[in-house]
Amino acid sequence: MKNAITLLALLLSILSFSQELTGLELLEKSIQYHDPNNNWKTFKGTLWVNMVTPNSPIRSSEITIDLPSDYFYLKASKNKNTTEYSINKGLCKIEFNKKTNLSKKIKKEHNLSCKRANLYKNYYTYLYGLPMKLKDEGTIIHNKTARKKFKGKDYIVLKVTYKKEVGKDTWYFYFNPTTYSMEVYQFFKDTKDSGEYILLSEEELINGIKMPKNRAWYYNKNNKYLGTDVLEKSNSI
């Protein structure tokens, strides 16, 4: 009897391995979990996020993403300074402590530029649009997925790279093998010791999309904790 059970377990394991999801199949299952009604492409909403980092004041951000109108707005406050960026159909506007006529000295000292505004737009739209953003043009979804244990949990892992005009980093996305929820992502630059991994915890339902409430960032090379982005509240616009 014991031998029969062992043989059955082995056969089930082989069958499971032979039916492993492809990269695109895994991505579709995760999108079905996070955005079952395909709401991301018409997303309009405002997110309030606190960035909590060791030995540093909290950075509070108000982020508005309106994809149909091609509009992005970020208001970030830290210490006594408040920076506001808006990009409306490609037109960039910068305010610093409620002033728009900024000197070159102030811009340099506080790293204020339209290039940085676009970096923030791409950054927040990418992170809060995952995993749906992995269907964007220039994204290369690798066909072979893998089973991997990370921080004591089992995951199905998707490897993603990008066309050279889009990005150079290599990303790995870790999905719950039962629900296909995205729970971890990790990126590497030039070496295996470069880059960071991000642990996702809890969820908020925003415009019908399940988004992570907490993003905790760590270095790959030494597991050093960098900080956590906490989604405090949100609303539709």
Side-chain angles (χ1 to χ4, degrees):
M1 183 66 179
K2 186 179 293 186
N3 290 338
I5 292 173
T6 301
L7 179 60
L8 178 61
L10 178 60
L11 288 173
L12 288 173
S13 176
I14 293 171
L15 182 62
S16 174
F17 179 80
S18 66
Q19 294 178 341
E20 192 67 271
L21 295 171
T22 67
L24 286 175
E25 288 171 342
L26 176 57
L27 176 58
E28 290 297 336
K29 285 185 175 292
S30 183
I31 290 175
Q32 182 60 32
Y33 172 85
H34 286 280
D35 185 17
N37 298 310
N38 198 25
N39 289 337
W40 172 251
K41 64 181 180 181
T42 57
F43 183 84
K44 298 181 184 181
T46 299
L47 315 173
W48 284 266
V49 178
N50 283 340
M51 179 183 286
V52 182
T53 52
N55 306 313
S56 180
I58 291 175
R59 181 177 186 267
S60 299
S61 298
E62 176 186 336
I63 306 152
T64 297
I65 299 171
D66 183 345
L67 296 181
S69 299
D70 191 17
Y71 176 79
F72 172 81
Y73 170 79
L74 169 65
K75 180 180 180 180
S77 300
K78 185 175 181 180
N79 294 322
K80 297 180 179 180
N81 293 323
T82 298
T83 304
E84 295 176 72
Y85 293 108
S86 65
I87 303 176
N88 189 0
K89 292 181 172 60
L91 183 63
C92 170
K93 181 181 176 182
I94 304 171
E95 290 189 20
F96 183 71
N97 293 332
K98 296 299 181 183
K99 296 180 180 179
T100 56
N101 188 18
L102 305 173
S103 67
K104 290 183 179 180
K105 179 181 178 182
I106 290 294
K107 288 181 179 179
K108 183 176 181 180
E109 182 179 349
H110 297 280
N111 196 13
L112 307 172
S113 67
C114 286
K115 180 179 179 181
R116 189 163 184 82
N118 277 285
L119 284 173
Y120 278 125
K121 177 186 177 182
N122 293 336
Y123 172 82
Y124 284 115
T125 303
Y126 181 77
L127 290 185
Y128 285 98
L130 288 171
M132 294 71 72
K133 289 288 288 179
L134 297 181
K135 298 192 78 173
D136 283 1
E137 188 176 350
T139 306
I140 302 170
I141 305 298
H142 290 241
N143 188 59
K144 187 176 181 181
T145 59
R147 297 273 179 168
K148 185 176 179 180
K149 190 179 288 289
F150 191 81
K151 301 295 179 182
K153 293 185 67 176
D154 292 318
Y155 294 103
I156 308 178
V157 183
L158 174 67
K159 181 179 179 180
V160 174
T161 52
Y162 295 88
K163 292 183 179 179
K164 62 181 180 180
E165 61 271 19
V166 176
K168 298 179 180 179
D169 297 346
T170 299
W171 287 72
Y172 294 90
F173 295 86
Y174 295 69
F175 299 99
N176 184 299
T178 302
T179 65
Y180 303 106
S181 63
M182 183 179 61
E183 297 184 1
V184 183
Y185 39 77
Q186 183 178 35
F187 68 90
F188 295 88
K189 294 185 178 295
D190 298 329
T191 67
K192 65 179 182 179
D193 291 329
S194 65
E196 300 162 13
Y197 65 88
I198 301 91
L199 305 182
L200 312 177
S201 61
E202 301 182 53
E203 289 179 343
E204 294 284 341
L205 188 65
I206 304 170
N207 293 10
I209 302 170
K210 298 184 186 79
M211 293 186 180
K213 179 177 177 62
N214 305 303
R215 285 187 175 85
W217 298 73
Y218 299 81
Y219 279 134
N220 285 324
K221 62 182 177 182
N222 56 11
N223 295 306
K224 181 182 177 181
Y225 171 66
L226 299 174
T228 301
D229 294 324
V230 182
L231 179 56
E232 298 291 353
K233 63 176 181 174
S234 64
N235 74 329
S236 302
I237 58 174

